[in-house]
Amino acid sequence: MNYDVVIKDVYLAKGDGQEVANIGITGNKITYIGTEKITGKETIDGKDMLAAPGWVNTHTHLAMTLLRSYADDMQLMPWLQEKIWPIEVKMVKDHFMWGSYLGVVEMIKNGTTCFNDMYFMMEETAKVVEKAGIRGVLTRCVMGDDPKNDIRLQESREFYKAWNNQANGRIKVVYGPHAPYTCTNRYLQQVIEDAKKDNVLIHMHLAETQFEVDTCIKEKGKTPIQLMDSLGMFEQPTVAAHCVYVNDKDMDIMQAKKVAVAHNPQSNLKLSSGIAPISKMLEKDILVSVGTDGTSSNNNLDMLEEIRTACFLAKCDSKNPTVLPATQALEIGTYNGAKALRIDNLGKLETGYLADIVLYNMNEPYWYPHHNLVSNLIYAASSNDVDTVIVDGKVLMKKREILTLDEEKIKFETNKIAKELVKQ
């Protein structure tokens, strides 16, 4: 059989990473993994490289790359109210387009092949995803409770109709109310009805700060998790971003209703929001995935850094070094993310799975010795080691050159318009 793409003699990120194999890709699927000699229309030499599933980033705000380093060293609410929301009001289509381009370049170069995005003017982000070749689950963020803001709900519905399952199925559209403190119950119920009608998941910030939880209890008589449960949100698949301040009752609800957590450890640390009880969530069999949040809150979209941080925090929180070992950390950043986003055949190096594969160059000294290559990836490697990125069976980056986008033009344009934006 002649495959579309063949990766030869590559180490596989499974177990301790010692297995070497050939990978065959047909169309957008992995169709062979083994030691037989195989041929393809395109052959990639995998010698001294580690093949892993691409990272799945389950919570981000992609176009916020334009605001990177604009408002640092602040807590969440002052950061939002004094810096981020006032500048977002000034942003137009070109800003969202170029911010999305920059974010996509950054993600491809650090090995992220799928992301779950919540922001505004999402048509621009969808166009970028389509052109770049990456996989995106996209949410038009909605908030408010007055007739003017109901326009956002209609825009969300129209975005779903126009873009869901486009780009060979690489684009999925879901519904995204911002947070309990920006949405009334009436508004949330409308979003829930839309999600039920279209049978798609909901993506929302929940229990990110103590302020949010205290305000929700004071104004609505329940924690954010308990409130969403009472409104029926969790009857639909839900990705809950952050979940820093959740109690045992909250976590029991999350486990029973199969709420997926998008853990954003570096953003939570940088904004002084706190540390999510991930070790307890894992003990309760809650599905935990990892996101990077926006670059203006976290400064990068580097999933490997997030996974490493999540791993260390979980171990420290539990006082148990066997909590979140390297193999599970890899799974949380790949397969768990795919499960959270309800993409059934993504996040594993197995035949029949979508061919979203990253090759890491292992020539740097911190990859040696090769006792356990998965441990080396999680604890020692750099995202700069990402050499080749394949999404949906197509090679998007080879030898660190992105093939689908003009990286230099994107960096030039984003730097120029970001400076103009903050001067306004």
Side-chain angles (χ1 to χ4, degrees):
M1 180 177 179
N2 195 37
Y3 297 90
D4 292 324
V5 179
V6 167
I7 306 170
K8 291 177 55 180
D9 303 323
V10 70
Y11 287 92
L12 303 181
K14 294 181 173 183
D16 60 6
Q18 301 302 310
E19 180 183 355
V20 177
N22 300 316
I23 301 173
I25 298 169
T26 305
N28 66 349
K29 301 282 182 64
I30 299 170
T31 49
Y32 177 81
I33 299 178
T35 56
E36 293 180 10
K37 291 184 178 180
I38 57 175
T39 59
K41 298 173 186 174
E42 180 175 3
T43 299
I44 298 169
D45 184 2
K47 184 180 179 183
D48 296 325
M49 293 194 191
L50 178 71
W55 299 119
V56 179
N57 182 342
T58 56
H59 179 67
T60 189
H61 312 288
L62 196 61
M64 289 181 85
T65 49
L66 285 183
L67 306 180
R68 193 195 323 262
S69 73
Y70 165 68
D72 281 347
D73 305 322
M74 301 176 71
Q75 291 187 329
L76 178 65
M77 293 313 296
W79 175 77
L80 283 172
Q81 294 168 345
E82 298 170 18
K83 292 289 187 177
I84 300 304
W85 287 342
I87 204 77
E88 284 177 339
V89 171
K90 303 175 184 178
M91 292 174 68
V92 297
K93 283 187 176 182
D94 265 11
H95 297 139
F96 289 96
M97 179 187 72
W98 286 110
S100 296
Y101 270 127
L102 184 62
V104 164
V105 165
E106 185 177 348
M107 287 192 295
I108 291 172
K109 296 197 80 169
N110 70 40
T112 297
T113 56
C114 178
F115 69 105
N116 183 29
D117 195 45
M118 173 194 282
Y119 214 32
F120 310 113
M121 297 190 185
M122 293 303 292
E123 294 84 0
E124 302 307 309
T125 303
K127 292 172 188 175
V128 170
V129 169
E130 185 174 43
K131 181 177 180 179
I134 199 168
R135 195 178 303 280
V137 178
L138 308 180
T139 303
R140 197 278 185 229
C141 182
V142 296
M143 62 179 76
D145 189 48
D146 60 61
K148 181 180 177 180
N149 285 326
D150 280 351
I151 295 171
R152 292 174 173 173
L153 288 172
Q154 186 58 33
E155 289 174 348
S156 182
R157 295 170 189 133
E158 291 171 358
F159 179 57
Y160 174 83
K161 291 175 184 176
W163 283 99
N164 189 48
N165 283 324
Q166 294 300 302
N168 197 38
R170 287 186 288 107
I171 295 175
K172 304 290 184 186
V173 177
V174 303
Y175 289 106
H178 176 257
Y181 54 88
T182 55
C183 298
T184 65
N185 289 359
R186 182 195 73 84
Y187 204 73
L188 290 168
Q189 286 167 336
Q190 288 185 272
V191 177
I192 293 166
E193 284 303 311
D194 286 343
K196 286 181 178 178
K197 179 173 67 70
D198 293 322
N199 194 28
V200 296
L201 66 84
I202 296 171
H203 175 199
M204 185 179 186
H205 300 88
L206 284 173
E208 183 175 0
T209 65
Q210 189 67 60
F211 169 82
E212 175 195 328
V213 174
D214 291 345
T215 302
C216 194
I217 291 172
K218 180 181 178 181
E219 295 180 355
K220 301 179 182 180
K222 296 180 174 69
T223 68
I225 296 294
Q226 292 161 30
L227 177 63
M228 298 310 131
D229 185 45
S230 71
L231 294 174
M233 179 176 289
F234 301 152
E235 303 310 313
Q236 285 301 112
T238 302
V239 175
H242 300 293
C243 296
V244 176
Y245 293 93
V246 288
N247 58 34
D248 285 337
K249 183 178 178 181
D250 292 334
M251 285 186 277
D252 288 341
I253 291 170
M254 294 159 66
Q255 191 277 332
K257 297 296 177 70
K258 301 188 184 307
V259 176
V261 175
H263 180 34
N264 302 266
Q266 292 197 65
S267 173
N268 296 154
L269 290 171
K270 187 181 175 191
L271 292 170
S272 303
S273 296
I275 299 171
I278 294 303
S279 59
K280 186 172 284 190
M281 292 181 191
L282 294 172
E283 289 172 7
K284 287 180 174 286
D285 200 27
I286 293 170
L287 181 66
V288 176
S289 62
V290 172
T292 59
D293 212 351
T295 55
S296 57
S297 62
N298 183 31
N299 275 56
N300 65 54
L301 296 167
D302 192 333
M303 277 289 288
L304 180 55
E305 284 191 13
E306 292 287 350
I307 295 295
R308 188 171 294 154
T309 303
C311 196
F312 292 156
L313 288 176
K315 291 174 185 294
C316 184
D317 178 54
S318 69
K319 307 296 190 295
N320 181 353
T322 63
V323 170
L324 199 50
T327 51
Q328 188 180 13
L330 176 63
E331 186 175 79
I332 281 175
T334 55
Y335 182 63
N336 276 23
K339 283 177 66 179
L341 301 179
R342 300 309 195 267
I343 306 175
D344 295 330
N345 56 343
L346 179 68
K348 288 189 176 183
L349 292 181
E350 292 185 7
T351 57
Y353 274 66
L354 290 165
D356 291 15
I357 302 171
V358 175
L359 303 185
Y360 292 85
N361 187 324
M362 300 191 296
N363 282 326
E364 294 296 333
Y366 45 74
W367 280 96
Y368 290 85
H370 288 176
H371 296 305
N372 187 316
L373 294 178
V374 173
S375 284
N376 285 356
L377 171 63
I378 298 301
Y379 297 130
S382 164
S383 290
N384 291 326
D385 301 327
V386 174
D387 177 273
T388 300
V389 175
I390 299 169
V391 178
D392 215 39
K394 303 291 190 298
V395 180
L396 305 190
M397 184 172 80
K398 195 170 186 178
K399 298 188 183 303
R400 291 201 64 76
E401 179 185 355
I402 295 180
L403 306 178
T404 55
L405 300 173
D406 185 337
E407 181 180 347
E408 292 306 313
K409 178 177 175 60
I410 289 167
K411 289 189 290 190
F412 173 81
E413 292 292 342
T414 50
N415 200 43
K416 180 179 71 173
I417 68 168
K419 287 180 179 178
E420 293 170 354
L421 177 64
V422 299
K423 283 181 181 177
Q424 292 177 11

